[in-house]
């Protein structure tokens, strides 16, 4: 018998299938246009030349106008469907897609009827065809599809007759990097590839380099990337080093060395984003962490904001898992 939770996934797959033609015909070309505009924008130097500044603002306006339909007609209705079906709770990191459903998936594999097999395989084919034929995150659904692929692969891999990785053509590919510098460089050059990054295990155990003074001022230039806006950060403090040090020591005491090193990794990613808003959120995150009894609701809200502004956080394998205990205690 197919449980209601598994059936919810099948209803969602039917929804994806019903919109497949529309997405391929209307929105994939729009995403391609946005990618081209992003390349044009990244080649401009609006801080250095007035003509570039004029061109930059024209392109920025075009990007805003073209991205709005993607948000309104793809992201919002698709994620609302996941909430309505109780597949996802609505949190920013989408971990409930796995946590809410892995028990039902395991139960389905353990106790299935032969009459269910054809039905499950039919939906597997439908989902795989959707992902292969669209093969796109539509510039806003990377985290959504990543979580869906992960949970559905556990279910669908049980119902196959070969050793072939049926998700290979669209699932995120793992890239191993040896340093933070290599990680940042790979992010710059990844284009629209769906990838995740893995740092050496001992990276999390390297001691952070302590500065000679607190409240370090970091000078950065304005840079612009698809999905991020870095405004007004020149000659400004990205984050408060003293607050971070207090939070680091508090986390190390309350949780573990592993958690503290994850916070250090988060610091590096925020710093490399050169985004003032990210720095402000990180300061607030650290202010809460250093308290004797941090409020998980506050930490969760700040964490969600950081995920939106610094997408590299979710693309760094293992980092989210090491931060989550701080948000759940």
């Amino acid at each position: 018998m197919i449980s209601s939770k598994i059936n919810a996934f099948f209803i969602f797959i039917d929804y994806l299938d019903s919109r497949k033609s529309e997405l391929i015909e209307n929105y994939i070309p729009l995403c391609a246009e946005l990618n081209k505009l992003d390349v044009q924008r990244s080649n401009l130097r609006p801080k250095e030349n007035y003509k570039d500044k004029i061109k930059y603002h024209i392109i920025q306006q075009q990007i805003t106008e073209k991205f709005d339909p993607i948000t309104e007609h793809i992201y919002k209705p698709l994620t609302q469907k996941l909430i309505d079906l109780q597949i996802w709770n609505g949190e920013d990191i989408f971990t409930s897609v796995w946590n809410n459903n892995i028990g039902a998936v395991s139960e389905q594999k353990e106790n299935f009827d032969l009459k269910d097999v054809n039905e499950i395989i039919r939906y597997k084919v439908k989902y795989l065809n959707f992902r292969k034929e669209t093969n796109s995150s539509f510039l806003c659904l990377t985290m959504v599809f990543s979580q869906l692929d992960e949970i559905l692969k556990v279910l669908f891999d049980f119902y196959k007759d070969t050793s072939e990785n049926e998700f290979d053509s669209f699932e995120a590919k793992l890239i191993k990097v040896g340093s933070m510098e290599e990680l940042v460089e790979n992010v710059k050059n990844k284009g629209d590839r769906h990838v995740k990054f893995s740092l050496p295990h001992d990276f999390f155990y390297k001691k952070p380099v302590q500065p000679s003074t607190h409240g370090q001022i970091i000078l950065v230039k304005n840079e612009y990337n698809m999905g991020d806006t870095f405004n007004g950060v020149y000659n400004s403090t990205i984050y408060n080093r003293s607050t971070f040090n207090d939070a680091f020591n508090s986390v190390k005491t309350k949780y573990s060395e592993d958690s503290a090193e994850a916070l250090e990794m988060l610091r590096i990613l925020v710093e490399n984003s050169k985004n003032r808003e990210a720095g402000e959120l990180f300061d607030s995150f650290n202010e809460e962490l250093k308290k004797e009894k941090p409020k998980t609701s506050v930490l969760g809200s700040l964490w969600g904001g950081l995920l939106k502004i610094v997408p590299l956080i979710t693309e760094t394998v293992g980092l989210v898992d090491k931060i989550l205990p701080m948000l759940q205690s």
Side-chain angles (χ1 to χ4, degrees):
M1 180 178 178
I2 296 175
S3 69
S4 59
K5 280 186 172 292
I6 300 301
N7 192 57
F9 280 108
F10 293 169
I11 294 172
F12 184 74
I13 291 170
D14 278 333
Y15 171 73
L16 291 178
D17 187 66
S18 71
R19 298 200 60 190
K20 183 168 65 176
S21 296
E22 172 199 7
L23 294 173
I24 291 173
E25 293 172 10
N26 298 333
Y27 292 102
I28 288 181
L30 182 57
C31 290
E33 291 178 32
L34 281 163
N35 281 325
K36 288 180 181 178
L37 287 170
D38 185 48
V39 171
Q40 294 174 27
R41 180 177 61 175
S42 65
N43 290 329
L44 296 173
R45 296 292 178 265
K47 284 288 184 180
E48 299 172 11
N49 183 271
Y50 79 100
K51 290 183 179 179
D52 275 16
K53 185 171 183 177
I54 293 171
K55 290 178 183 177
Y56 175 86
H57 285 297
I58 291 172
I59 292 175
Q60 182 64 45
Q61 182 62 34
Q62 291 175 336
I63 287 175
T64 300
E65 291 173 356
K66 290 179 183 292
F67 200 83
D68 282 347
I70 291 175
T71 301
E72 292 299 319
H73 301 303
I74 299 180
Y75 183 84
K76 287 184 178 179
L78 191 148
T79 51
Q80 186 59 50
K81 191 74 172 177
L82 289 171
I83 292 174
D84 293 343
L85 292 168
Q86 298 182 348
I87 293 173
W88 171 54
N89 290 346
E91 82 289 350
D92 291 309
I93 54 179
F94 290 90
T95 52
S96 60
V97 174
W98 175 276
N99 294 336
N100 288 358
N101 300 287
I102 187 59
V105 168
S106 299
E107 178 68 21
Q108 186 68 53
K109 291 163 57 178
E110 187 68 25
N111 301 299
F112 67 92
D113 296 330
L114 287 176
K115 64 181 181 180
D116 297 334
V117 173
N118 286 338
E119 181 78 349
I120 295 171
I121 291 176
R122 183 169 72 87
Y123 276 101
K124 176 178 74 169
V125 171
K126 189 177 287 190
Y127 183 74
L128 292 174
N129 285 342
F130 174 86
R131 295 291 280 123
K132 290 175 183 176
E133 291 173 35
T134 59
N135 197 20
S136 172
S137 68
F138 300 97
L139 303 177
C140 62
L141 295 175
T142 299
M143 290 179 65
V144 178
F145 282 132
S146 177
Q147 293 296 323
L148 287 171
D149 290 347
E150 186 175 8
I151 189 76
L152 288 173
K153 187 174 183 178
V154 175
L155 173 65
F156 291 148
D157 268 4
F158 185 73
Y159 299 93
K160 68 178 186 180
D161 301 315
T162 71
S163 59
E164 173 191 3
N165 179 5
E166 297 173 319
F167 286 66
D168 182 64
S169 64
F170 54 81
E171 69 180 344
K173 302 300 184 291
L174 184 66
I175 297 178
K176 295 183 178 181
V177 294
S179 66
M180 193 63 213
E181 292 75 16
E182 188 179 348
L183 173 63
V184 173
E185 189 61 30
N186 270 275
V187 170
K188 290 179 181 178
N189 297 324
K190 80 182 184 73
D192 59 357
R193 292 180 299 155
H194 186 198
V195 297
K196 291 184 177 181
F197 300 98
S198 174
L199 284 155
H201 179 72
D202 62 358
F203 184 92
F204 288 98
Y205 296 94
K206 294 177 181 176
K207 301 295 182 184
V209 178
Q210 299 294 328
S212 56
T213 60
H214 293 306
Q216 182 180 9
I217 302 297
I218 301 173
L219 304 182
V220 299
K221 62 181 179 181
N222 281 348
E223 294 185 12
Y224 303 86
N225 297 293
M226 179 68 79
D228 299 315
T229 303
F230 308 143
N231 291 317
V233 295
Y234 189 76
N235 285 343
S236 62
T237 304
I238 297 298
Y239 67 95
N240 187 299
R241 184 74 204 206
S242 178
T243 303
F244 167 76
N245 287 341
D246 290 343
F248 180 90
N249 291 329
S250 178
V251 167
K252 186 175 179 180
T253 301
K254 294 177 184 175
Y255 301 95
S256 65
E257 180 88 13
D258 204 27
S259 294
E261 297 303 333
L263 187 65
E264 166 69 7
M265 165 65 85
L266 183 60
R267 178 196 69 78
I268 294 171
L269 294 180
V270 168
E271 184 175 313
N272 276 279
S273 77
K274 302 175 184 176
N275 186 312
R276 184 173 184 174
E277 184 180 356
E280 291 172 352
L281 285 171
F282 187 56
D283 276 342
S284 298
F285 191 74
N286 290 328
E287 285 283 359
E288 193 65 30
L289 276 177
K290 72 179 187 179
K291 294 179 180 178
E292 184 176 350
K293 294 182 178 181
K295 294 182 178 178
T296 55
S297 59
V298 173
L299 289 173
S301 177
L302 295 168
W303 175 246
L306 283 169
L307 292 178
K308 291 178 180 177
I309 297 172
V310 190
L312 186 52
I313 294 171
T314 57
E315 294 173 355
T316 305
V317 173
L319 179 56
V320 172
D321 291 339
K322 290 178 172 65
I323 293 291
L324 282 179
M326 307 177 204
L327 313 181
Q328 298 170 341
S329 61

